Short mmCIF file of all heavy atoms in Angstrom, two decimals:
data_model
loop_
_atom_site.label_atom_id
_atom_site.label_comp_id
_atom_site.label_asym_id
_atom_site.label_seq_id
_atom_site.Cartn_x
_atom_site.Cartn_y
_atom_site.Cartn_z
N ASP B 1 26.48 -290.98 -42.40
CA ASP B 1 27.29 -290.07 -41.58
C ASP B 1 26.61 -288.72 -41.38
O ASP B 1 27.23 -287.65 -41.53
CB ASP B 1 28.68 -289.86 -42.21
CG ASP B 1 29.57 -291.08 -42.06
OD1 ASP B 1 29.36 -291.86 -41.12
OD2 ASP B 1 30.47 -291.26 -42.91
N PHE B 2 25.34 -288.74 -41.00
CA PHE B 2 24.57 -287.50 -40.83
C PHE B 2 24.68 -286.89 -39.43
O PHE B 2 24.05 -285.87 -39.16
CB PHE B 2 23.09 -287.75 -41.12
CG PHE B 2 22.77 -287.95 -42.58
CD1 PHE B 2 21.73 -288.79 -42.95
CD2 PHE B 2 23.48 -287.31 -43.57
CE1 PHE B 2 21.42 -288.98 -44.29
CE2 PHE B 2 23.19 -287.49 -44.90
CZ PHE B 2 22.15 -288.33 -45.26
N GLN B 3 25.47 -287.48 -38.54
CA GLN B 3 25.43 -287.05 -37.14
C GLN B 3 25.69 -285.56 -36.96
O GLN B 3 25.01 -284.89 -36.17
CB GLN B 3 26.48 -287.85 -36.32
CG GLN B 3 26.25 -289.34 -36.27
CD GLN B 3 26.96 -290.07 -37.39
OE1 GLN B 3 27.15 -289.51 -38.48
NE2 GLN B 3 27.36 -291.30 -37.15
N ASP B 4 26.66 -285.00 -37.68
CA ASP B 4 27.04 -283.60 -37.47
C ASP B 4 26.95 -282.78 -38.75
O ASP B 4 27.69 -281.81 -38.94
CB ASP B 4 28.48 -283.52 -36.94
CG ASP B 4 28.63 -284.21 -35.59
OD1 ASP B 4 27.76 -284.02 -34.73
OD2 ASP B 4 29.62 -284.94 -35.40
N PHE B 5 26.02 -283.14 -39.65
CA PHE B 5 25.97 -282.48 -40.96
C PHE B 5 25.67 -280.99 -40.85
O PHE B 5 26.00 -280.22 -41.76
CB PHE B 5 24.90 -283.15 -41.84
CG PHE B 5 23.49 -282.79 -41.50
CD1 PHE B 5 22.84 -281.76 -42.18
CD2 PHE B 5 22.80 -283.45 -40.50
CE1 PHE B 5 21.53 -281.42 -41.88
CE2 PHE B 5 21.50 -283.12 -40.20
CZ PHE B 5 20.86 -282.10 -40.87
N TYR B 6 25.05 -280.56 -39.77
CA TYR B 6 24.66 -279.15 -39.60
C TYR B 6 25.84 -278.27 -39.20
O TYR B 6 25.73 -277.04 -39.20
CB TYR B 6 23.56 -279.04 -38.54
CG TYR B 6 23.92 -279.65 -37.21
CD1 TYR B 6 24.55 -278.91 -36.22
CD2 TYR B 6 23.66 -280.99 -36.96
CE1 TYR B 6 24.92 -279.48 -35.02
CE2 TYR B 6 24.01 -281.57 -35.75
CZ TYR B 6 24.63 -280.82 -34.79
OH TYR B 6 25.00 -281.39 -33.60
N LYS B 7 26.97 -278.85 -38.87
CA LYS B 7 28.14 -278.07 -38.49
C LYS B 7 28.92 -277.66 -39.74
O LYS B 7 29.11 -278.48 -40.64
CB LYS B 7 29.05 -278.88 -37.55
CG LYS B 7 28.40 -279.26 -36.23
CD LYS B 7 29.36 -280.06 -35.36
CE LYS B 7 28.72 -280.45 -34.04
NZ LYS B 7 29.63 -281.27 -33.20
N ILE B 8 29.37 -276.42 -39.78
CA ILE B 8 30.09 -275.91 -40.95
C ILE B 8 31.31 -276.77 -41.25
O ILE B 8 31.63 -277.05 -42.41
CB ILE B 8 30.53 -274.44 -40.72
CG1 ILE B 8 29.28 -273.54 -40.61
CG2 ILE B 8 31.43 -273.97 -41.85
CD1 ILE B 8 28.46 -273.49 -41.88
N THR B 9 32.01 -277.23 -40.23
CA THR B 9 33.23 -278.01 -40.43
C THR B 9 32.94 -279.44 -40.88
O THR B 9 33.87 -280.17 -41.24
CB THR B 9 34.06 -278.06 -39.13
OG1 THR B 9 33.23 -278.58 -38.07
CG2 THR B 9 34.55 -276.67 -38.76
N SER B 10 31.66 -279.83 -40.88
CA SER B 10 31.32 -281.21 -41.23
C SER B 10 30.40 -281.30 -42.45
O SER B 10 29.81 -282.36 -42.70
CB SER B 10 30.63 -281.89 -40.03
OG SER B 10 31.48 -281.91 -38.90
N LEU B 11 30.29 -280.23 -43.22
CA LEU B 11 29.35 -280.21 -44.34
C LEU B 11 29.62 -281.32 -45.35
O LEU B 11 28.69 -281.88 -45.94
CB LEU B 11 29.41 -278.86 -45.06
CG LEU B 11 28.75 -277.67 -44.35
CD1 LEU B 11 28.95 -276.41 -45.18
CD2 LEU B 11 27.26 -277.93 -44.12
N THR B 12 30.89 -281.66 -45.58
CA THR B 12 31.23 -282.64 -46.61
C THR B 12 31.50 -284.03 -46.03
O THR B 12 31.96 -284.91 -46.76
CB THR B 12 32.46 -282.19 -47.42
OG1 THR B 12 33.59 -282.07 -46.54
CG2 THR B 12 32.19 -280.85 -48.10
N VAL B 13 31.22 -284.23 -44.76
CA VAL B 13 31.41 -285.56 -44.16
C VAL B 13 30.30 -286.53 -44.60
O VAL B 13 30.59 -287.67 -44.97
CB VAL B 13 31.48 -285.46 -42.63
CG1 VAL B 13 31.47 -286.85 -42.00
CG2 VAL B 13 32.74 -284.70 -42.21
N PRO B 14 29.03 -286.12 -44.59
CA PRO B 14 27.98 -287.04 -45.03
C PRO B 14 28.00 -287.24 -46.56
O PRO B 14 28.79 -286.65 -47.28
CB PRO B 14 26.69 -286.33 -44.61
CG PRO B 14 27.10 -285.26 -43.66
CD PRO B 14 28.48 -284.86 -44.07
N GLN B 15 27.10 -288.10 -47.02
CA GLN B 15 26.88 -288.30 -48.45
C GLN B 15 26.15 -287.06 -48.97
O GLN B 15 25.01 -286.80 -48.61
CB GLN B 15 26.04 -289.56 -48.66
CG GLN B 15 26.72 -290.79 -48.13
CD GLN B 15 25.85 -292.05 -48.13
OE1 GLN B 15 26.35 -293.15 -48.13
NE2 GLN B 15 24.54 -291.88 -48.14
N TYR B 16 26.83 -286.29 -49.85
CA TYR B 16 26.27 -285.00 -50.25
C TYR B 16 26.24 -284.87 -51.77
O TYR B 16 26.85 -285.63 -52.51
CB TYR B 16 27.08 -283.84 -49.65
CG TYR B 16 28.48 -283.70 -50.20
CD1 TYR B 16 28.73 -282.93 -51.34
CD2 TYR B 16 29.56 -284.32 -49.59
CE1 TYR B 16 30.01 -282.80 -51.86
CE2 TYR B 16 30.85 -284.19 -50.09
CZ TYR B 16 31.06 -283.43 -51.23
OH TYR B 16 32.33 -283.30 -51.73
N ASP B 17 25.50 -283.83 -52.24
CA ASP B 17 25.39 -283.51 -53.66
C ASP B 17 25.62 -282.01 -53.85
O ASP B 17 25.08 -281.20 -53.10
CB ASP B 17 24.00 -283.85 -54.20
CG ASP B 17 23.67 -285.31 -54.01
OD1 ASP B 17 24.27 -286.15 -54.69
OD2 ASP B 17 22.79 -285.62 -53.17
N LEU B 18 26.39 -281.67 -54.88
CA LEU B 18 26.58 -280.29 -55.29
C LEU B 18 26.29 -280.20 -56.78
O LEU B 18 26.94 -280.89 -57.58
CB LEU B 18 28.01 -279.83 -55.00
CG LEU B 18 28.40 -278.44 -55.53
CD1 LEU B 18 27.55 -277.35 -54.88
CD2 LEU B 18 29.89 -278.17 -55.31
N ASN B 19 25.32 -279.38 -57.15
CA ASN B 19 24.91 -279.25 -58.55
C ASN B 19 24.97 -277.78 -58.97
O ASN B 19 24.49 -276.90 -58.24
CB ASN B 19 23.48 -279.76 -58.75
CG ASN B 19 23.33 -281.21 -58.33
OD1 ASN B 19 24.14 -282.05 -58.68
ND2 ASN B 19 22.30 -281.50 -57.56
N ILE B 20 25.53 -277.52 -60.14
CA ILE B 20 25.56 -276.18 -60.73
C ILE B 20 25.01 -276.29 -62.14
O ILE B 20 25.49 -277.12 -62.93
CB ILE B 20 26.99 -275.62 -60.76
CG1 ILE B 20 27.56 -275.54 -59.35
CG2 ILE B 20 27.02 -274.25 -61.42
CD1 ILE B 20 29.02 -275.16 -59.29
N GLY B 21 23.99 -275.47 -62.45
CA GLY B 21 23.37 -275.62 -63.75
C GLY B 21 22.78 -274.35 -64.31
O GLY B 21 22.86 -273.27 -63.69
N TYR B 22 22.19 -274.49 -65.49
CA TYR B 22 21.61 -273.35 -66.20
C TYR B 22 20.39 -273.82 -66.98
O TYR B 22 20.46 -274.78 -67.75
CB TYR B 22 22.63 -272.75 -67.16
CG TYR B 22 22.11 -271.59 -67.97
CD1 TYR B 22 21.94 -270.34 -67.38
CD2 TYR B 22 21.78 -271.74 -69.32
CE1 TYR B 22 21.45 -269.27 -68.12
CE2 TYR B 22 21.30 -270.67 -70.05
CZ TYR B 22 21.13 -269.43 -69.45
OH TYR B 22 20.65 -268.38 -70.18
N PHE B 23 19.26 -273.16 -66.73
CA PHE B 23 18.05 -273.39 -67.53
C PHE B 23 17.97 -272.33 -68.63
O PHE B 23 18.00 -271.14 -68.36
CB PHE B 23 16.80 -273.31 -66.66
CG PHE B 23 16.44 -274.60 -65.99
CD1 PHE B 23 16.59 -274.76 -64.62
CD2 PHE B 23 15.96 -275.67 -66.73
CE1 PHE B 23 16.26 -275.94 -64.01
CE2 PHE B 23 15.63 -276.87 -66.13
CZ PHE B 23 15.79 -277.01 -64.76
N PHE B 24 17.87 -272.81 -69.88
CA PHE B 24 17.70 -271.90 -71.01
C PHE B 24 16.27 -271.35 -71.02
O PHE B 24 15.33 -272.01 -70.58
CB PHE B 24 17.97 -272.63 -72.32
CG PHE B 24 19.34 -273.23 -72.41
CD1 PHE B 24 19.54 -274.58 -72.15
CD2 PHE B 24 20.44 -272.44 -72.72
CE1 PHE B 24 20.80 -275.14 -72.22
CE2 PHE B 24 21.71 -272.99 -72.81
CZ PHE B 24 21.89 -274.34 -72.54
N ASP B 25 16.13 -270.15 -71.52
CA ASP B 25 14.80 -269.57 -71.68
C ASP B 25 14.27 -269.98 -73.04
O ASP B 25 14.41 -269.26 -74.03
CB ASP B 25 14.88 -268.04 -71.55
CG ASP B 25 13.52 -267.38 -71.66
OD1 ASP B 25 12.52 -268.09 -71.45
OD2 ASP B 25 13.47 -266.18 -71.98
N ASN B 26 13.70 -271.19 -73.11
CA ASN B 26 13.15 -271.67 -74.38
C ASN B 26 11.88 -272.45 -74.13
O ASN B 26 11.53 -272.77 -72.99
CB ASN B 26 14.17 -272.53 -75.14
CG ASN B 26 14.63 -273.74 -74.32
OD1 ASN B 26 13.85 -274.35 -73.62
ND2 ASN B 26 15.90 -274.07 -74.43
N LYS B 27 11.15 -272.75 -75.19
CA LYS B 27 9.84 -273.39 -75.04
C LYS B 27 9.94 -274.83 -74.56
O LYS B 27 8.95 -275.41 -74.12
CB LYS B 27 9.09 -273.32 -76.37
CG LYS B 27 9.76 -274.09 -77.50
CD LYS B 27 8.96 -273.97 -78.79
CE LYS B 27 9.61 -274.74 -79.93
NZ LYS B 27 8.84 -274.61 -81.20
N TRP B 28 11.14 -275.44 -74.65
CA TRP B 28 11.30 -276.83 -74.23
C TRP B 28 11.66 -276.95 -72.75
O TRP B 28 11.70 -278.04 -72.22
CB TRP B 28 12.36 -277.52 -75.08
CG TRP B 28 12.03 -277.51 -76.54
CD1 TRP B 28 11.07 -278.26 -77.19
CD2 TRP B 28 12.63 -276.70 -77.54
NE1 TRP B 28 11.05 -277.98 -78.51
CE2 TRP B 28 12.01 -277.01 -78.77
CE3 TRP B 28 13.65 -275.74 -77.54
CZ2 TRP B 28 12.36 -276.40 -79.97
CZ3 TRP B 28 14.00 -275.14 -78.72
CH2 TRP B 28 13.36 -275.46 -79.91
N ASP B 29 11.94 -275.82 -72.09
CA ASP B 29 12.33 -275.84 -70.67
C ASP B 29 13.51 -276.78 -70.43
O ASP B 29 13.47 -277.64 -69.54
CB ASP B 29 11.15 -276.22 -69.79
CG ASP B 29 10.54 -275.01 -69.09
OD1 ASP B 29 11.18 -273.95 -69.09
OD2 ASP B 29 9.42 -275.14 -68.55
N LEU B 30 14.56 -276.64 -71.21
CA LEU B 30 15.74 -277.48 -71.09
C LEU B 30 16.85 -276.78 -70.33
O LEU B 30 16.91 -275.54 -70.27
CB LEU B 30 16.25 -277.88 -72.48
CG LEU B 30 15.33 -278.76 -73.33
CD1 LEU B 30 15.97 -278.99 -74.70
CD2 LEU B 30 15.05 -280.09 -72.64
N GLY B 31 17.75 -277.56 -69.77
CA GLY B 31 18.91 -277.01 -69.08
C GLY B 31 20.06 -277.99 -69.10
O GLY B 31 19.93 -279.13 -69.55
N ILE B 32 21.20 -277.52 -68.63
CA ILE B 32 22.38 -278.37 -68.48
C ILE B 32 22.90 -278.22 -67.06
O ILE B 32 22.67 -277.18 -66.41
CB ILE B 32 23.50 -278.03 -69.50
CG1 ILE B 32 23.88 -276.56 -69.39
CG2 ILE B 32 23.08 -278.41 -70.91
CD1 ILE B 32 25.09 -276.19 -70.25
N GLU B 33 23.61 -279.23 -66.59
CA GLU B 33 24.04 -279.23 -65.20
C GLU B 33 25.32 -280.03 -65.05
O GLU B 33 25.50 -281.07 -65.68
CB GLU B 33 22.94 -279.85 -64.34
CG GLU B 33 23.27 -280.04 -62.88
CD GLU B 33 22.19 -280.79 -62.15
OE1 GLU B 33 22.19 -282.05 -62.22
OE2 GLU B 33 21.33 -280.14 -61.52
N VAL B 34 26.20 -279.54 -64.20
CA VAL B 34 27.35 -280.31 -63.74
C VAL B 34 27.06 -280.75 -62.31
O VAL B 34 26.76 -279.90 -61.45
CB VAL B 34 28.65 -279.49 -63.80
CG1 VAL B 34 29.80 -280.30 -63.20
CG2 VAL B 34 28.98 -279.09 -65.23
N ALA B 35 27.11 -282.05 -62.08
CA ALA B 35 26.74 -282.59 -60.77
C ALA B 35 27.90 -283.35 -60.16
O ALA B 35 28.58 -284.14 -60.85
CB ALA B 35 25.53 -283.51 -60.91
N TRP B 36 28.12 -283.13 -58.88
CA TRP B 36 29.09 -283.90 -58.11
C TRP B 36 28.30 -284.62 -57.01
O TRP B 36 27.80 -284.01 -56.08
CB TRP B 36 30.14 -282.98 -57.49
CG TRP B 36 31.12 -283.67 -56.59
CD1 TRP B 36 31.12 -283.67 -55.22
CD2 TRP B 36 32.27 -284.43 -56.97
NE1 TRP B 36 32.18 -284.38 -54.73
CE2 TRP B 36 32.90 -284.87 -55.78
CE3 TRP B 36 32.82 -284.79 -58.20
CZ2 TRP B 36 34.06 -285.65 -55.79
CZ3 TRP B 36 33.98 -285.57 -58.22
CH2 TRP B 36 34.58 -285.98 -57.03
N ASN B 37 28.15 -285.93 -57.17
CA ASN B 37 27.40 -286.74 -56.21
C ASN B 37 28.40 -287.55 -55.39
O ASN B 37 29.11 -288.41 -55.92
CB ASN B 37 26.45 -287.70 -56.92
CG ASN B 37 25.43 -287.00 -57.80
OD1 ASN B 37 24.96 -287.57 -58.76
ND2 ASN B 37 25.09 -285.77 -57.48
N HIS B 38 28.45 -287.26 -54.10
CA HIS B 38 29.37 -287.95 -53.19
C HIS B 38 28.58 -289.02 -52.44
O HIS B 38 27.89 -288.73 -51.45
CB HIS B 38 29.97 -286.94 -52.22
CG HIS B 38 30.84 -287.53 -51.15
ND1 HIS B 38 32.09 -288.05 -51.41
CD2 HIS B 38 30.64 -287.70 -49.81
CE1 HIS B 38 32.62 -288.49 -50.28
NE2 HIS B 38 31.76 -288.30 -49.30
N LEU B 39 28.65 -290.25 -52.96
CA LEU B 39 28.03 -291.39 -52.32
C LEU B 39 29.11 -292.19 -51.60
O LEU B 39 30.31 -291.97 -51.82
CB LEU B 39 27.33 -292.29 -53.35
CG LEU B 39 26.16 -291.71 -54.15
CD1 LEU B 39 26.60 -290.78 -55.27
CD2 LEU B 39 25.33 -292.86 -54.75
N LYS B 40 28.69 -293.13 -50.77
CA LYS B 40 29.63 -294.02 -50.10
C LYS B 40 29.19 -295.46 -50.33
O LYS B 40 28.01 -295.78 -50.18
CB LYS B 40 29.73 -293.70 -48.62
CG LYS B 40 30.23 -292.27 -48.35
CD LYS B 40 30.39 -291.97 -46.88
CE LYS B 40 30.86 -290.54 -46.66
NZ LYS B 40 31.12 -290.22 -45.25
N TYR B 41 30.16 -296.31 -50.67
CA TYR B 41 29.91 -297.70 -51.03
C TYR B 41 30.84 -298.58 -50.22
O TYR B 41 32.07 -298.42 -50.28
CB TYR B 41 30.16 -297.89 -52.52
CG TYR B 41 30.04 -299.31 -53.03
CD1 TYR B 41 28.88 -299.74 -53.67
CD2 TYR B 41 31.10 -300.21 -52.89
CE1 TYR B 41 28.78 -301.04 -54.16
CE2 TYR B 41 31.01 -301.50 -53.37
CZ TYR B 41 29.85 -301.92 -54.01
OH TYR B 41 29.76 -303.20 -54.48
N ILE B 42 30.27 -299.49 -49.43
CA ILE B 42 31.06 -300.36 -48.57
C ILE B 42 30.65 -301.80 -48.80
O ILE B 42 29.47 -302.16 -48.62
CB ILE B 42 30.86 -300.01 -47.08
CG1 ILE B 42 31.20 -298.54 -46.83
CG2 ILE B 42 31.72 -300.93 -46.20
CD1 ILE B 42 30.75 -298.04 -45.47
N VAL B 43 31.59 -302.63 -49.24
CA VAL B 43 31.32 -304.06 -49.32
C VAL B 43 31.17 -304.57 -47.88
O VAL B 43 32.08 -304.40 -47.05
CB VAL B 43 32.44 -304.81 -50.05
CG1 VAL B 43 32.20 -306.32 -50.02
CG2 VAL B 43 32.54 -304.32 -51.49
N THR B 44 30.03 -305.15 -47.58
CA THR B 44 29.71 -305.54 -46.21
C THR B 44 30.71 -306.58 -45.69
O THR B 44 30.89 -307.63 -46.30
CB THR B 44 28.28 -306.09 -46.15
OG1 THR B 44 27.38 -305.11 -46.68
CG2 THR B 44 27.89 -306.43 -44.72
N ASP B 45 31.34 -306.26 -44.56
CA ASP B 45 32.29 -307.19 -43.95
C ASP B 45 31.56 -308.41 -43.37
O ASP B 45 30.38 -308.35 -43.01
CB ASP B 45 33.05 -306.50 -42.81
CG ASP B 45 34.06 -305.49 -43.32
OD1 ASP B 45 34.58 -305.66 -44.44
OD2 ASP B 45 34.33 -304.51 -42.59
N ASN B 46 32.28 -309.50 -43.27
CA ASN B 46 31.82 -310.72 -42.61
C ASN B 46 30.56 -311.30 -43.24
O ASN B 46 29.71 -311.86 -42.55
CB ASN B 46 31.59 -310.46 -41.11
CG ASN B 46 32.86 -310.00 -40.41
OD1 ASN B 46 33.91 -310.62 -40.55
ND2 ASN B 46 32.77 -308.88 -39.71
#
């Protein structure tokens, strides 16, 4: 559903991802993240 993804009113129509996270300042370069992955799954008809 990428036809109108560039329109503000259609940002969440396509398959999208929103991630919010934090990288710690440490020697291991580790971080944590909350991710919302909006995929679409359709059992193929016919």
